Amino acid sequence: MIKFLLLVNKHGQLRISKHYQYMEKEDKQRLEKELIGICLKRGDKKSSFLEYQDFVLIYRCYVDLFFIAGVTKDENEIAIYEFFHLILETLDKYFPKLSEVDIQFNLDKVHMILDEMIINGNIVETSPVRILAPIQLLDTAKR
Amino acid sequence: MLSSIMPTPKRLRDLIREIRSARTAADERAVVQKECAAIRESFRETDNTYRCRNVAKLLYIHMLGYPAHFGQLECLKLIASQRFTDKRIGYLGAMLLLDERQDIHLLVTNSLKNDLSHQTQYIQSLALCTMGSICSAEMSRDLAGEIEKLIKSSNAYVKKKAILCAFRVLRKVPDLMEMFIPSTRALLNEKNHGVLLTAVCLITEMCEKSPDTLMHFRKVVPQLVRILKNLIMAGYSPEHDVSGVSDPFLQVKILHLLRVLGKNDVEASETMNDILAQVATNTDTSKNVGHAILYEIVLTIMGIKSEAGLRVLAVNILGRFLLNNDKNIRYVALNTLLRVVSADNNAVQRHRTTIVDCLKDPDISIRRRAVELSFALVNSNNIRGMMKELLSYLENCDPEFKSDCCSNIVFAAEKYSPNKRWHIDTVMKVLTTAGNYVKSDLVSILIQMIAETTQLHAYTVQQLFLAMQRDISQQPLVQVASWCIGEYGEQLFNTTVEDAEAINVTEEEVVNVLEKVLISKMSAVETKEYAITALLKLSTRFKSMSEKIKRIISVYSRSTNVELQQRSVEYTSLFDKYDQMRSALLEQMPLMENRSKSVFAANGETSEGNDVLLSTTENVVRTNAENKQHITAPSVSQNILDLLDVSSSPVIPSKQEPPSKSGGVDLLDLLGGVASLATEPAIPNLVPVAPSVNLIDGLIGSAAHNNLLNGSAGFSSTFTAFSKNGLLVEFACERDGGQPTVTSISMKATNSTPTPISEFVFQAAVPKSFQVQLESPSGNFIPPLNGGGVTQLIKVSNPQKQSIRMRIRLTYKHNGNSVTEMGEVNSFPPELWQ
């Protein structure tokens, strides 16, 4: 199960933070700050998985965007690592030439996409077409 | 018009721009604060035109880390609105801003209930999604019925989300499981991938929670096998393909569930054998997602009662992973190999070379796992090759791993060494490469091992001397070397050593090196203790150096360190007053017995080990005494025997010992404390007699008794009151000189385990005829590995002069566990009250 998912830019600024287990606000912020620090520092020589407290930390870096997730120990690390790529592909499909700025200006949309993919820390849908359908429908309705 | 009172609120877009253009953190804060004030203001006006926009802005501000909880109620208002856009932002806000406050949850529950039965699937979906992330136990009970209904819905979009909500509901309230079982079982007939994926998740959760449900779902194994087969054969849903692999996420989840179902169940395991083999051989590994599936399948094969052939196949998959360029794959492989190595050692052995190569991996976590795995693979067939690799790892590894690595090498060498010479060489290499990272308990183990290898004493001592001569800053090396030179110094000049060049040293050079150790600022006190004892021993082995050694030793009679000073004073008096006995006292130490036990005692179960050690050392003392009887002049030997007898027989108070001969009297004066202190565990008190104590000091870690030289007037005695799991409580009892009915007991607790003991509380109770008074303890924290202790003074008044009995209760925290121990102490010596 995914405990939380963070999207961070290369300067370590948080862009999206989704927690699937309740945590006090202060603890949440402390944890996020610490994990971002760890992931940014690790560099590409080290593996993208590391054990941290009672969970496994998985992260993946794309140009200016970091995906960071904490998952329970029974989760398949490689699968989650590939799931990051699926998220990226899906976002890329929705925002042509995806960049960090798109996420900032369309916070609600990104949340919506992620909510179509993960519920309660479990993957719910993996087909980009199906994930994006409701959001695209909303866009046409607006126009 | 409202707008005439208040300006139109800023658009989200503009706010983001403004924040992005802020130059400093202070600028940003100012912008945010101004905006927050405006938003609060607007919330107060009950205007709802811009509520949605304001909440959206607040969510952005929240993401930046600013407080935004004042928006909670506004979110609830948005949720209650009829417009989809409002609801959408409202629910998003609820997910991000709501805390565990009950009253707010209650308000959401109502809206959720309405929206779950809304006719629009997107609104149902919003409610489901929100519920999935904020549902509390209360809410679970209230909404379980709605969720169960939605699981049975024909709309896959709503269905899959409802399934995961059920997952959450069961996490919060496991009692609701019964209600979901029938509808869940029907889910496996679905074709929709999202539904299958979530259903498998839910079933896995149910099976892990309840053994009954697990039994129930064992029946679906054939169905799961069929789904998996369809996936890999037909690939019937191109939209779920990930780089050519058919829905890898679904495959992974199904494999996980199969593992849960097949665990400890032969029948279920048999049903899945074929499909597992099929998936394992057919998965395309040119893409990373393929590895995710293979990884999961390995876990499943190793987790169930699978065929031997399949297990070998699984380990081979991991072997291939190890050769992969991707560090993540290597990490996962090592992690998994570590888990299976104990069960399938032979299969893992085949990949030894690859594993050993990972010792040089740039990633520290990969190296750490590789070294752990390597130690698990060492056996008597491969020890030479493996040790070579592990020693070179030891040389280059990070400091934090060195001590553990040393200990592991020494234990592996101990267990599997092909011959003694190789063993000694390996140990020597550990000492020279790891230097100060060698743990202190290893020193005593190594000394013991060397002492036992009698045929190699000359070789060992020569090599050790050379190593020490090169570098006197490596404490453990110097300690071992000093001890050996002290014991076997004469062998330094033995020129008949096999396959090694004889070394060319003079007695003076040897003494000089030891003196350098004593002088060096880099030497620890403990090392100096070893060195000073070694010098004393050499004084009889190198006759010509005797005077010089005496001079060196006497310098330390003014040392500020009590331990060194004491040794120096005692040793000097051996030169002056008891010169005739000196050579007899400084004989070579006899061999220790029961070694194998003691080696591992130092590494683990300690309390028992300590007993073994104590009895071992006692044997030594006895044999020592017997040896002396043969060697030395009768008059002297008699005295020594008197002295040593005391240690093994019950207490003989010093005043009762009739001083017979002049030499003996002096000796008894000097060691009066020993005689009076000595009961069973009093061996450490024999410091001046034999340097063996050095070794014992290191092993049982009892601090030297500094009151050795005080011939105390009253009676006193030390014994073990309690010893379990590495916690040792000793009582040093003394009859109070002034009040004969009062016994003072000084409790000392030490900890020989590798982890500290905290919150240590000692309590004592006595029968009614006594009175007990406990003074405050010196602390409540006991450092590990005998690195200190807690002391506490207990006063027992015994007006009726009965035999003292005491009940003790110990509470402490160790390794995160709270421990309470009780015990009864009845072994107080009768001299305390008679």
Side-chain angles (χ1 to χ4, degrees):
Chain A
M1 192 186 149
I2 303 172
K3 287 160 100 80
F4 57 83
L5 174 71
L6 312 176
L7 263 65
V8 178
N9 73 4
K10 62 176 176 230
H11 305 297
Q13 287 163 314
L14 196 62
R15 285 298 166 237
I16 292 274
S17 127
K18 284 196 93 69
H19 287 255
Y20 299 101
Q21 260 174 12
Y22 180 75
M23 221 191 257
E24 289 292 333
K25 184 164 168 272
E26 288 75 28
D27 298 339
K28 210 189 302 192
Q29 284 181 345
R30 201 178 315 122
L31 182 77
E32 285 168 354
K33 207 171 152 192
E34 198 174 326
L35 297 183
I36 292 169
I38 292 176
C39 294
L40 258 63
K41 253 193 295 194
R42 271 175 73 88
D44 50 5
K45 281 246 170 79
K46 299 185 171 172
S47 74
S48 310
F49 313 139
L50 68 152
E51 275 173 33
Y52 185 89
Q53 292 172 0
D54 62 335
F55 56 86
V56 181
L57 192 63
I58 302 174
Y59 70 96
R60 186 161 188 173
C61 174
Y62 296 99
V63 196
D64 57 355
L65 206 57
F66 268 91
F67 284 75
I68 302 173
V71 303
T72 48
K73 286 190 174 157
D74 57 353
E75 196 62 64
N76 184 320
E77 293 97 332
I78 306 178
I80 298 294
Y81 189 74
E82 290 307 312
F83 185 64
F84 286 159
H85 195 70
L86 184 70
I87 299 178
L88 185 88
E89 274 181 1
T90 313
L91 290 177
D92 203 42
K93 210 167 180 167
Y94 185 74
F95 303 104
K97 289 192 192 152
L98 172 78
S99 81
E100 184 223 327
V101 184
D102 289 320
I103 297 178
Q104 236 184 332
F105 278 95
N106 297 285
L107 207 56
D108 56 329
K109 293 281 171 58
V110 178
H111 270 290
M112 222 175 145
I113 294 175
L114 289 176
D115 287 342
E116 288 293 331
M117 301 182 78
I118 311 169
I119 286 185
N120 185 26
N122 286 303
I123 302 175
V124 60
E125 183 57 71
T126 54
S127 149
V129 180
R130 295 190 188 192
I131 294 165
L132 293 177
I135 296 120
Q136 281 157 343
L137 191 72
L138 181 73
D139 289 342
T140 28
K142 268 194 178 163
R143 258 181 245 129
Chain B
M1 282 288 286
L2 273 167
S3 53
S4 62
I5 311 164
M6 259 181 49
T8 316
K10 219 176 271 164
R11 288 188 310 166
L12 173 59
R13 222 152 245 286
D14 298 329
L15 175 67
I16 297 175
R17 283 212 188 91
E18 208 173 318
I19 289 175
R20 278 174 64 92
S21 59
R23 291 260 171 79
T24 63
D27 283 354
E28 181 187 292
R29 218 173 305 131
V31 174
V32 170
Q33 267 159 10
K34 199 171 140 222
E35 189 59 36
C36 280
I39 294 173
R40 271 174 203 270
E41 185 61 30
S42 152
F43 284 165
R44 233 169 273 140
E45 314 281 330
T46 44
D47 162 36
N48 51 16
T49 334
Y50 296 110
R51 187 180 285 142
C52 184
R53 178 184 291 181
N54 280 331
V55 171
K57 279 192 286 190
L58 205 53
L59 295 184
Y60 185 79
I61 289 170
H62 172 76
M63 187 208 61
L64 295 175
Y66 296 93
H69 286 66
F70 58 90
Q72 287 175 343
L73 275 176
E74 299 302 312
C75 293
L76 299 186
K77 287 181 196 159
L78 284 176
I79 291 173
S81 149
Q82 287 308 309
R83 290 174 54 210
F84 181 73
T85 336
D86 284 355
K87 270 194 193 296
R88 192 169 71 91
I89 298 295
Y91 275 125
L92 182 56
M95 278 192 267
L96 295 176
L97 297 183
L98 286 203
D99 50 32
E100 300 263 275
R101 264 164 54 200
Q102 212 51 55
D103 47 341
I104 292 196
H105 268 183
L106 211 65
L107 293 172
V108 185
T109 310
N110 264 332
S111 306
L112 281 173
K113 197 166 197 148
N114 289 334
D115 287 344
L116 283 176
S117 40
H118 203 276
Q119 72 271 27
T120 317
Q121 58 168 350
Y122 297 110
I123 288 182
Q124 287 178 305
S125 147
L126 281 178
L128 285 169
C129 186
T130 309
M131 204 185 144
S133 66
I134 62 166
C135 188
S136 61
E138 196 85 355
M139 226 187 252
S140 299
R141 286 201 192 87
D142 289 347
L143 298 175
E146 268 78 9
I147 298 296
E148 207 263 344
K149 232 180 284 164
L150 288 179
I151 288 182
K152 287 187 282 199
S153 140
S154 58
N155 179 344
Y157 181 68
V158 174
K159 201 181 183 95
K160 63 185 180 189
K161 295 187 177 186
I163 296 169
L164 286 183
C165 272
F167 183 103
R168 171 97 178 190
V169 166
L170 294 186
R171 273 265 158 110
K172 294 282 171 190
V173 194
D175 303 347
L176 291 169
M177 178 115 52
E178 275 308 301
M179 155 181 192
F180 286 97
I181 290 177
S183 43
T184 306
R185 192 161 172 201
L187 293 173
L188 290 178
N189 301 321
E190 293 279 334
K191 289 275 178 290
N192 182 289
H193 281 225
V195 173
L196 281 176
L197 183 65
T198 48
V200 171
C201 262
L202 180 61
I203 296 174
T204 312
E205 169 74 10
M206 286 173 156
C207 292
E208 277 173 348
K209 280 276 139 64
S210 128
D212 288 347
T213 323
L214 177 65
M215 290 294 286
H216 177 85
F217 278 109
R218 283 233 165 92
K219 280 176 255 164
V220 305
V221 170
Q223 225 173 329
L224 289 167
V225 167
R226 207 158 44 238
I227 298 173
L228 200 53
K229 196 172 254 164
N230 276 337
L231 269 179
I232 58 167
M233 290 310 180
Y236 60 79
S237 172
E239 59 179 310
H240 289 96
D241 271 14
V242 176
S243 35
V245 179
S246 172
D247 203 345
F249 301 102
L250 180 55
Q251 289 198 46
V252 165
K253 285 291 170 203
I254 293 178
L255 288 169
H256 185 173
L257 178 55
L258 286 178
R259 169 158 81 250
V260 174
L261 294 175
K263 196 176 178 192
N264 298 326
D265 188 283
V266 181
E267 202 193 327
S269 300
E270 245 166 46
T271 324
M272 45 188 106
N273 262 332
D274 280 350
I275 187 75
L276 292 181
Q278 225 169 338
V279 176
T281 41
N282 288 351
T283 302
D284 175 15
T285 51
S286 58
K287 296 290 173 339
N288 225 349
V289 278
H291 288 116
I293 296 173
L294 284 182
Y295 171 40
E296 197 68 40
I297 209 158
V298 168
L299 291 178
T300 300
I301 290 174
M302 303 316 261
I304 64 170
K305 300 252 172 231
S306 48
E307 292 167 357
L310 212 50
R311 297 179 86 87
V312 172
L313 178 71
V315 174
N316 288 347
I317 291 175
L318 293 177
R320 279 210 307 281
F321 275 19
L322 284 179
L323 296 169
N324 200 293
N325 284 329
D326 188 335
K327 54 203 175 303
N328 295 333
I329 310 269
R330 293 199 301 273
Y331 171 93
V332 162
L334 285 171
N335 234 359
T336 318
L337 283 170
L338 260 181
R339 271 193 248 171
V340 303
V341 67
S342 55
D344 292 76
N345 197 296
N346 283 337
V348 182
Q349 284 289 356
R350 256 178 263 155
H351 304 281
R352 208 175 53 232
T353 13
T354 347
I355 293 166
V356 165
D357 281 342
C358 293
L359 289 174
K360 301 178 192 104
D361 203 280
D363 183 352
I364 186 166
S365 37
I366 290 183
R367 287 200 303 274
R368 183 186 319 178
R369 280 163 178 84
V371 74
E372 216 176 305
L373 199 51
S374 301
F375 279 117
L377 290 178
V378 173
N379 61 29
S380 38
N381 296 326
N382 60 28
I383 177 105
R384 283 170 190 267
M386 289 298 277
M387 273 308 162
K388 206 185 270 172
E389 298 290 344
L390 287 166
L391 280 168
S392 89
Y393 170 78
L394 176 65
E395 202 168 338
N396 302 315
C397 75
D398 305 74
E400 51 182 306
F401 300 137
K402 286 204 179 179
S403 358
D404 280 341
C405 188
C406 294
S407 307
N408 281 330
I409 290 181
V410 170
F411 292 132
E414 165 91 33
K415 223 166 151 188
Y416 303 113
S417 77
N419 60 51
K420 284 289 172 192
R421 170 71 179 266
W422 180 89
H423 193 174
I424 298 269
D425 281 340
T426 307
V427 163
M428 206 88 89
K429 251 182 230 148
V430 169
L431 281 174
T432 45
T433 30
N436 290 337
Y437 293 106
V438 177
K439 281 188 197 151
S440 58
D441 56 346
L442 269 192
V443 171
S444 15
I445 291 169
L446 294 182
I447 287 177
Q448 214 172 347
M449 190 274 286
I450 291 169
E452 247 176 26
T453 323
T454 32
Q455 68 278 26
L456 287 174
H457 278 167
Y459 172 74
T460 316
V461 73
Q462 290 181 11
Q463 295 301 315
L464 279 169
F465 176 74
L466 287 178
M468 171 158 105
Q469 205 177 22
R470 274 194 296 271
D471 187 357
I472 60 159
S473 63
Q474 311 287 10
Q475 304 303 309
L477 169 70
V478 174
Q479 289 170 8
V480 176
S482 299
W483 189 89
C484 293
I485 291 170
E487 288 298 318
Y488 318 117
E490 69 280 359
Q491 303 265 22
L492 279 170
F493 314 106
N494 185 339
T495 49
T496 57
V497 182
E498 258 180 87
D499 333 311
E501 281 182 38
I503 61 167
N504 202 0
V505 285
T506 63
E507 294 184 346
E508 187 161 13
E509 277 171 320
V510 178
V511 172
N512 283 346
V513 170
L514 286 171
E515 189 185 6
K516 240 168 52 193
V517 173
L518 274 174
I519 295 168
S520 167
K521 287 211 164 42
M522 282 180 285
S523 300
V525 175
E526 207 183 320
T527 315
K528 291 185 180 178
E529 289 165 25
Y530 275 95
I532 202 166
T533 309
L535 278 171
L536 175 69
K537 285 221 149 191
L538 286 184
S539 71
T540 59
R541 300 192 181 22
F542 301 169
K543 295 272 187 264
S544 63
M545 286 289 117
S546 185
E547 272 311 303
K548 180 170 178 170
I549 289 173
K550 185 181 164 190
R551 217 169 42 242
I552 298 172
I553 290 179
S554 68
V555 168
Y556 290 89
S557 62
R558 287 185 300 278
S559 164
T560 47
N561 181 283
V562 182
E563 184 65 28
L564 271 182
Q565 187 192 55
Q566 184 189 334
R567 283 183 197 223
S568 166
V569 169
E570 288 165 4
Y571 295 171
T572 310
S573 59
L574 272 181
F575 277 102
D576 294 341
K577 295 193 197 162
Y578 314 104
D579 214 27
Q580 78 281 17
M581 295 166 55
R582 189 157 48 91
S583 61
L585 280 170
L586 302 178
E587 275 297 310
Q588 221 176 65
M589 289 286 295
L591 286 187
M592 300 233 179
E593 290 158 31
N594 289 345
R595 174 157 168 271
S596 55
K597 276 186 202 157
S598 63
V599 165
F600 292 100
N603 193 31
E605 331 78 88
T606 31
S607 64
E608 203 185 359
N610 273 345
D611 293 346
V612 175
L613 277 178
L614 284 175
S615 57
T616 316
T617 39
E618 205 186 347
N619 285 339
V620 172
V621 173
R622 283 215 190 100
T623 29
N624 222 357
E626 281 154 20
N627 286 349
K628 302 282 152 64
Q629 225 171 355
H630 300 303
I631 304 160
T632 48
S635 69
V636 178
S637 95
Q638 191 56 48
N639 286 329
I640 297 170
L641 214 57
D642 278 353
L643 220 163
L644 293 168
D645 260 349
V646 175
S647 71
S648 48
S649 65
V651 184
I652 305 163
S654 60
K655 47 189 171 192
Q656 292 173 12
E657 186 77 76
S660 51
K661 293 193 180 84
S662 67
V665 180
D666 288 345
L667 189 55
L668 275 170
D669 270 357
L670 172 67
L671 303 171
V674 175
S676 55
L677 274 172
T679 51
E680 285 281 89
I683 294 113
N685 297 337
L686 289 169
V687 172
V689 179
S692 77
V693 176
N694 246 337
L695 176 57
I696 299 161
D697 265 355
L699 285 172
I700 65 172
S702 87
H705 293 243
N706 292 330
N707 56 351
L708 257 187
L709 293 173
N710 320 330
S712 62
F715 173 82
S716 65
S717 152
T718 306
F719 63 93
T720 304
F722 179 87
S723 169
K724 193 171 175 187
N725 300 333
L727 174 67
L728 179 72
V729 176
E730 285 176 307
F731 279 0
C733 312
E734 208 173 342
R735 208 158 158 176
D736 201 309
Q739 299 162 274
T741 56
V742 175
T743 305
S744 327
I745 304 163
S746 155
M747 185 279 294
K748 179 168 187 207
T750 50
N751 167 18
S752 56
T753 65
T755 44
I757 286 177
S758 59
E759 296 172 33
F760 176 82
V761 176
F762 171 89
Q763 290 166 302
V766 287
K768 281 208 177 107
S769 51
F770 302 89
Q771 275 180 334
V772 69
Q773 187 188 344
L774 284 148
E775 313 224 325
S776 55
S778 63
N780 65 359
F781 180 82
I782 316 179
L785 301 169
N786 294 319
V790 166
T791 56
Q792 188 167 14
L793 196 65
I794 310 159
K795 289 205 165 166
V796 177
S797 84
N798 181 7
Q800 299 172 17
K801 301 201 173 176
Q802 292 176 333
S803 65
I804 303 178
R805 281 172 298 143
M806 184 183 280
R807 282 229 165 143
I808 58 172
R809 184 164 179 265
L810 308 162
T811 56
Y812 57 92
K813 269 200 165 157
H814 187 222
N815 286 332
N817 303 324
S818 296
V819 185
T820 305
E821 298 280 6
M822 311 253 241
E824 205 166 315
V825 189
N826 294 326
S827 45
F828 289 95
E831 283 78 3
L832 287 172
W833 57 83
Q834 278 165 5

